[in-house]
Amino acid sequence: LPISNRTEKPIIAVVRGRQEFGPRALGHRSLLAVPDSDAMRDRMNRLKARQWYRPVAPMIADEALEEVFGQAAVKSPYMTMAPRVREDVRKRFPALAHTD
């Protein structure tokens, strides 16, 4: 890494199994990062050549669903739902959710 990047938090690529096609990798091709800043969201979107406003799709343990989304949390293993992130979690991890 160049010296200027050594202070940035890492983005880690994980590739498992066969190559996938389509908009959702669902765990076979993943970029892992801590979504604790708008800067991280921007880095991820630049890396993936995506629009600036897209949030990072989190992987959240079943045990933490209520903590992140509140009591109305519903499992969505195929990323077909976009529940509202609790406000206190949005403040700690702003890259997790749309701003609208």
Side-chain angles (χ1 to χ4, degrees), residues 16-93:
R16 286 178 262 170
R18 301 179 309 173
Q19 183 177 4
E20 295 177 311
F21 293 95
R24 292 182 171 84
L26 301 177
H28 291 281
R29 295 174 297 137
S30 299
L31 294 175
L32 306 177
V34 178
D36 62 352
S37 69
D38 291 330
M40 180 57 78
R41 180 202 58 225
D42 294 344
R43 284 178 58 206
M44 294 278 286
N45 284 338
R46 278 193 308 270
L47 183 64
K48 296 178 77 174
R50 298 182 344 158
Q51 295 89 348
W52 64 269
Y53 56 83
R54 290 191 175 224
V56 176
M59 291 190 308
I60 299 171
D62 287 346
E63 302 81 37
L65 288 174
E66 187 174 324
E67 178 184 349
V68 174
F69 300 114
Q71 290 188 354
V74 176
K75 291 182 183 181
S76 182
Y78 301 107
M79 299 178 2
T80 56
M81 303 176 81
R84 184 171 298 278
V85 176
R86 289 179 38 177
E87 189 60 35
D88 59 315
V89 174
R90 287 173 71 108
K91 288 179 182 174
R92 286 184 11 229
F93 302 104

